[in-house]
Amino acid sequence: MTPPLLILRNITLCLGDTNLLSGAELIVSKRDRICLVGRNGSGKSTLLKIAAGKVDADDGERYVEPGATLRYLPQEPNLTGYETTRAYVEGELAPGDDPHRAQYLLEQLGLTGEENPLALSGGEARRCAIARTLTSEPDILFLDEPTNHLDLPAIEWLENELKNSRSALVLVSHDRRFLENLSRKTVWLNMGVTQQIEKSFTAFEPWRDKWFEQEELNRNKLDRKIASELHWLNRGVTARRKRNQGRLRALNALRAERRNQKAFIGDVKLTTTEGNRAGKLVIETSSIGKTYDGAPIVRDLSIRIQRGDRIGIVGPNGAGKTTLLNLLTGALTPDEGSVRLGPTLQMVLLD
């Protein structure tokens, strides 16, 4: 068995009065494929940053094998200070790295290398950051939400690139298919503590659900035991007998154990409340068009959207999906044509 490349033991971190991490652990060995999962806000990105050496823990042990190389892809890359995308990507090159790989990665991801980093769309900035991270093949790659803002061809390319990589991978992602296809181990961060199963993300949810069921059974068993002891206490026993003193101490210990237990958080269920029902028409456009810098983004689009329709807008990064959505909702005025919104329309936008 090869020695681990990285070990985190008993990692703790507090944010204000909140114990975000309280004994979290992570072990990464050569060629590992680990997905780090947990609820939003559970501390996955923070633990990833601690593992990558970007954030210091309040307490705990972090060991990295001498000479091991690490690369980290943040959720929100900072591209300021670079004149071109090529300069940004080449900024991560180390001595001995192939200088041509930066341009190769940019081209594979649909960039030329001459773009202004500050003028990139969200998807283009993400692709640029991925190219920077992959310019060399480190011992461990830490990837935080790598598929954010990527279109389907870019996700498929990245997945194939990572499958062929010799680096160990530690992934945080909300893309279930991406995790299922790449992971071989799953680390679950729950209430500040990690648990690991030697299986891919595909097996995680059934395992987690069984864990929740067992925790609930244990909790109910403890509640019944406390109720039984309280019944004994309420019969008016004397605390002067040594045997009764021991039983009272045991009851207090059970109460303390129950107080310290954290109830698990179940699945979120979203419901919508229906306001005043609008008319049948939602949006109608007539030959709308929009151009940026001489390039047509939307051209001669006529569409009628009615109540109950479900429409998906798809296309590569930079194709104009957000621009089209803004045109349809009235947030942006078309250069030509017209947009008509339903007279009693109530609109909610989630960006």
Side-chain angles (χ1 to χ4, degrees):
M1 183 176 178
T2 59
L5 295 169
L6 177 137
I7 301 174
L8 298 182
R9 292 199 187 280
N10 200 27
I11 297 297
T12 62
L13 183 72
C14 295
L15 294 179
D17 296 329
T18 302
N19 291 324
L20 185 63
L21 303 174
S22 51
E25 302 197 347
L26 179 67
I27 298 176
V28 184
S29 300
K30 291 181 180 179
R31 304 297 295 271
D32 266 349
R33 299 290 190 268
I34 299 173
C35 66
L36 177 59
V37 299
R39 295 179 63 87
N40 288 339
S42 61
K44 301 185 298 296
S45 293
T46 301
L47 185 59
L48 201 70
K49 289 176 183 177
I50 292 172
K54 304 298 182 181
V55 170
D56 292 329
D58 292 338
D59 199 3
E61 174 190 352
R62 177 179 181 266
Y63 166 80
V64 180
E65 183 182 73
T69 54
L70 316 177
R71 285 283 179 92
Y72 167 70
L73 174 70
Q75 275 197 47
E76 300 295 337
N78 182 7
L79 279 66
T80 58
Y82 297 91
E83 292 187 359
T84 64
T85 51
R86 184 188 298 108
Y88 171 77
V89 173
E90 291 177 343
E92 195 76 359
L93 288 173
D97 287 344
D98 181 2
H100 301 293
R101 181 163 171 78
Q103 185 61 37
Y104 163 78
L105 290 168
L106 284 166
E107 292 175 358
Q108 290 295 307
L109 289 163
L111 300 170
T112 66
E114 300 302 322
E115 296 88 354
N116 179 358
L118 301 182
L120 300 178
S121 68
E124 290 168 336
R126 171 58 57 174
R127 296 203 302 269
C128 190
I130 288 171
R132 178 182 170 102
T133 306
L134 298 181
T135 48
S136 67
E137 196 162 57
D139 294 304
I140 308 177
L141 271 172
F142 299 98
L143 305 176
D144 195 354
E145 299 290 357
T147 62
N148 274 8
H149 306 296
L150 295 186
D151 52 25
L152 290 176
I155 293 174
E156 291 171 352
W157 177 89
L158 177 61
E159 185 179 308
N160 187 64
E161 192 78 11
L162 294 176
K163 280 181 178 178
N164 295 325
S165 172
R166 292 176 295 179
S167 301
L169 303 178
V170 184
L171 306 168
V172 172
S173 178
H174 285 84
D175 188 327
R176 299 169 62 89
R177 180 180 173 185
F178 190 76
L179 294 180
E180 289 171 353
N181 290 342
L182 285 174
S183 64
R184 294 199 289 263
K185 295 180 182 179
T186 303
V187 174
W188 181 32
L189 180 57
N190 180 43
M191 292 182 286
V193 181
T194 51
Q195 300 181 66
Q196 178 171 306
I197 59 172
E198 301 293 319
K199 295 180 180 179
S200 74
F201 180 75
T202 305
F204 165 68
E205 288 180 324
W207 173 86
R208 179 205 59 191
D209 292 344
K210 289 181 180 178
W211 185 90
F212 279 149
E213 290 172 6
Q214 187 59 49
E215 284 294 295
E216 187 65 19
L217 289 173
N218 294 341
R219 189 174 291 108
N220 291 337
K221 183 178 179 180
L222 180 59
D223 287 341
R224 289 194 299 270
K225 189 171 182 179
I226 291 174
S228 174
E229 292 299 293
L230 285 172
H231 177 69
W232 163 80
L233 181 63
N234 290 333
R235 289 186 303 176
V237 301
T238 174
R240 290 192 294 271
R241 295 181 182 178
K242 183 178 292 186
R243 182 182 62 184
N244 289 348
Q245 288 177 344
R247 196 164 178 178
L248 282 171
R249 286 193 297 270
L251 173 58
N252 289 331
L254 290 173
R255 284 169 161 171
E257 180 183 349
R258 186 63 178 89
R259 281 196 304 271
N260 291 332
Q261 283 186 344
K262 299 177 181 178
F264 71 85
I265 304 173
D267 293 331
V268 174
K269 291 181 173 58
L270 297 178
T271 60
T272 60
T273 57
E274 186 171 330
N276 297 327
R277 175 161 290 197
K280 189 174 182 181
L281 175 67
V282 177
I283 301 170
E284 184 175 30
T285 72
S286 177
S287 302
I288 63 171
K290 190 69 179 179
T291 301
Y292 281 120
D293 297 329
I297 305 299
V298 177
R299 181 167 50 197
D300 195 28
L301 174 66
S302 297
I303 188 172
R304 183 181 178 88
I305 301 174
Q306 297 181 322
R307 176 166 42 86
D309 285 347
R310 302 290 188 269
I311 298 175
I313 301 174
V314 299
N317 292 134
K321 301 184 296 294
T322 301
T323 298
L324 175 56
L325 191 63
N326 288 335
L327 289 169
L328 293 176
T329 57
L332 189 65
T333 303
D335 295 337
E336 55 189 36
S338 62
V339 177
R340 183 163 69 99
L341 303 180
T344 59
L345 182 65
Q346 294 179 329
M347 196 180 309
V348 176
L349 178 65
L350 175 62
D351 189 350

